[in-house]
Amino acid sequence: MENVHLALEEDDLYSGYNDYNPTFDSEELENDVGFQQAVRTNHGRRPPSRMPMSSSMGRPMTGAVQDGAARPMTAVRAAGYTSSLTRGSTFDPLGQSRGPAPPLEAKSEETAEEKIKILEMKVNDLIEESCMAHSIGALQLALEKAKEAGRKERALVRQREQSGSGEHINLDLTYSVLLNLANQYANNEMYPEALNSYQVIVKNKMFSNAGRLKVNMANIYFKQKNYPKAIKFYRMALDQISNTHKELRIKIMQNIGVVFVRGDRERMKKAFLKLISVRLGIDDEDKYIPSNDDTSSDMVIEAIKNDKLHQMERDLKALAEKYIMTAAKLIAPAIETSFAAGFDWCVDMVKSSQYVELANDLEINKAITYLRQKDFKQAVETLKTFEKKDSRVKSAAATNLSFLYFLEKDFDQADRYADLAMNADRYNPAALINKGNTVFIKQDYEKAAEFYKEALRNDSSCTEALYNLGLTYKKLNRLEEALDCFLKLHAILRNCAQVMYQLAHLHELLEDPQQAIEWLMQVISVTPTDPQVLAKLGELHDAEGDKSQAFQYYYESFRYFPSNIDVIEWLGAYYIETQFCEKAIQYFERATLIQPTQVKWQLMVASCYRRSGNYQKALETYKDIHRKFPVNIECLRFLVRLCTDMGLKEVQEYATKLKKVEKMKEIREQRVKSGREGSARGRKEGREGSAGSAGDHSGSSTKGERLSAKMRSLPASSEPYEASSPKELDASYVDPLGPQTDRPKTGAKKRIEDDDFADEELGDDLLPE
């Protein structure tokens, strides 16, 4: 308790809070005469010095001068006034009299990190410049840029090490520099330097997936014809690429096969000779021919003719023939200076071996190789050498010749060789198909159908015959039978876009649009970017009244193929119909680019400007059309109308031109009309003259008769001058799979029993691979 002090009653706990300096008293400032005068004169001369007066509170007045010094100016100092302002001094609140501002401080020196970033940017720029130079063919410049990028990248690494940030080296940049340098060395055929650069990358364990660059090294060894090392590096690359990259692995294995083929020519020849000298231990087929002398022997032969052992012998012989044919086709282009010489060597070797019958097949393969090289003349010459061979080879050669002439649209020769192939082997389905195609071209559809049916009887799995039979039935308007053919074909070829399109077209002809749309949707699932199928879907939906769906498919078709006039016209009309004329302009402008001589597209562009209210642009467009087509009446009419509406002085000029053009049109029509009447009179007179001189056979002809004949040879003015004959094949569908789907498929084959090269067997308008 001794430390506790009680407050006395006379002590005031709140004393002193009301005491304040009278200087801060602002309540009496309005009555302070000195302060009010100071405020009124603060922009002019100061009042004369007076003795300080005490305020009502006893504090000195604000504007009083003490001891001859100027009073302090506090409230207006921020505006530029000072207490030292004397008489004659100028008002300078911005301090402009002090002179120019001091110069800016110099930027401090760049930091090490900033220098490193700038150097990295320079290296990246050099890499880009090197790549761009290579893209334009400047190989030497590309190499120089790549070398300079390498030098700057090494300087960058040294600078990082000096700054103590060596652990932050940009490995991606280093990899890019080295790879680009190696590529540019290889492009300039500096192979040792390129291999050294690739080796630096491959040996650096810090670079991930660098092992695949061994493919590039193998390619260089292949160019140097160092085939053992090329195979070694291809295999090393194959080992380092995971199975997830299947396509890359397949390409590398293909390269390994190519290197093996490009090996030593002499060793390839020796290996081929060893292959054809292998003895199969198989008896001749003559062993299984009955002799008709010994009944018991004939019974034994009949028993073993189709047993498992004989079947195994046939399979073994077919496998040996396949290996020999494959080996010959592989080495023929490599063992001699040309593939033709290589094939000739292989043929000579096979003729002197136990596989003599394969020599003709090799010759036919030689002709097919000419076809792949688009050397049709040599292919024809090679195939013509078989005309005097045995029936089987003659039939195969004639079938291919018929196929070639059919492709060249020499249908007479195609028909001739089709007959030759049929006469040599009536059971050859390819020959029957070619014969049916030549008849189909002549529009004898009933006869063509018979040949296709015969081909199907000989080979029920012949898809070309079934497809062409369906086309033939469609031409004959036997739509149900055609539908049956294509449904059977669809069961065999499930994802064939051409077959599904034909089914869609048949349903459209049978007036079943919904089923046609379903088949077209299946076509789109196989070929989603086919513009013709998309346009057809748009057409069907438009016919069904579904404008929005039609617009979607027409727009997709335009996106993939922006040059289809029908699609462009539909899209432009759709936007005009939906009152979006501005969007229609771009489509009609594209139509103008495609058909610049068709004035209607340019008139549509001008019409869209006019409909959207852009009359000035419409007027300019019409004027441009008038310059290109000065006698177009529609353009002149709109020019007169626009100029009238806009109050332009040119209206009289265009009105005069319009009258002149209309007058010319009227005169032209009168001439045409009179010409028709004269032609009719001439024909009438000619008939009367010929009737009057029917009994006179002197051989002389009157002038009227000659005129009549001449008039009959000329068409009427409303008809085209040359009446073109109808198309040989009415192709209702044109798509990227083939130029004409209604063109019958040819059945050319390189040989009768060989199914190795299906693309040669199917022929024109081949189903997509």
Side-chain angles (χ1 to χ4, degrees), residues 45 241 291 484 570 575 655 680 715:
R45 295 176 58 190
I241 294 174
S291 61
D484 183 57
W570 191 94
Y575 279 119

Side-chain angles (χ1 to χ4, degrees), residues 54-67:
S54 300
S55 65
S56 59
M57 299 298 294
R59 66 179 179 83
M61 290 188 298
T62 307
V65 180
Q66 301 177 1
D67 299 332

Side-chain angles (χ1 to χ4, degrees), residues 29-30 32-40 50 61-63:
L29 288 179
E30 293 181 359
D32 191 335
V33 179
F35 177 76
Q36 293 297 331
Q37 187 177 2
V39 172
R40 285 194 299 270
R50 297 182 297 172
M61 290 188 298
T62 307

Side-chain angles (χ1 to χ4, degrees), residues 649-665:
K649 297 179 181 180
E650 300 165 284
V651 62
Q652 190 60 41
E653 175 188 352
Y654 291 123
T656 304
K657 289 182 178 180
L658 177 60
K659 290 180 181 179
K660 188 182 295 185
V661 172
E662 288 178 340
K663 186 67 174 176
M664 291 171 59
K665 181 182 179 183

Side-chain angles (χ1 to χ4, degrees), residues 285-457:
E285 288 293 325
D286 297 340
K287 171 184 175 182
Y288 300 99
I289 300 175
S291 61
N292 298 324
D293 296 333
D294 189 352
T295 307
S296 59
S297 298
D298 292 346
M299 293 177 62
V300 172
I301 290 172
E302 191 66 28
I304 66 174
K305 189 174 183 179
N306 294 312
D307 64 355
K308 291 185 178 180
L309 180 61
H310 188 206
Q311 184 63 41
M312 185 191 72
E313 289 179 347
R314 284 201 295 262
D315 293 342
L316 183 60
K317 184 178 180 182
L319 185 63
E321 291 179 351
K322 179 182 177 182
Y323 287 157
I324 292 171
M325 293 291 294
T326 304
K329 286 183 284 188
L330 282 173
I331 70 171
I335 57 177
E336 298 292 344
T337 55
S338 66
F339 85 92
F343 266 111
D344 292 339
W345 183 88
C346 292
V347 169
D348 293 339
M349 295 300 105
V350 168
K351 284 181 178 179
S352 60
S353 69
Q354 56 183 322
Y355 302 98
V356 181
E357 64 274 9
L358 292 180
N360 293 326
D361 296 328
L362 279 175
E363 288 280 1
I364 292 179
N365 271 284
K366 178 182 174 183
I368 292 173
T369 307
Y370 278 125
L371 282 179
R372 288 177 173 168
Q373 295 181 351
K374 300 187 184 304
D375 191 348
F376 295 101
K377 184 178 179 181
Q378 288 291 335
V380 170
E381 290 180 0
T382 305
L383 291 171
K384 283 184 176 180
T385 59
F386 292 94
E387 291 187 16
K388 297 181 180 180
K389 297 290 182 68
D390 61 79
S391 60
R392 185 183 68 87
V393 179
K394 183 192 295 185
S395 178
T399 300
N400 284 314
L401 283 169
S402 176
F403 165 71
L404 284 176
Y405 284 120
F406 189 87
L407 291 182
E408 293 181 343
K409 301 188 186 307
D410 189 350
F411 301 120
D412 292 335
Q413 287 286 358
D415 186 58
R416 173 176 171 268
Y417 280 100
D419 288 334
L420 186 63
M422 287 171 53
N423 294 333
D425 183 4
R426 185 72 187 189
Y427 297 98
N428 182 357
L432 292 166
I433 291 172
N434 285 345
K435 179 62 179 178
N437 291 347
T438 58
V439 177
F440 185 99
I441 290 296
K442 297 174 183 177
Q443 301 182 4
D444 189 353
Y445 302 121
E446 292 287 354
K447 196 171 182 180
E450 293 300 323
F451 283 113
Y452 297 141
K453 288 178 184 177
E454 187 177 352
L456 284 170
R457 286 194 293 270

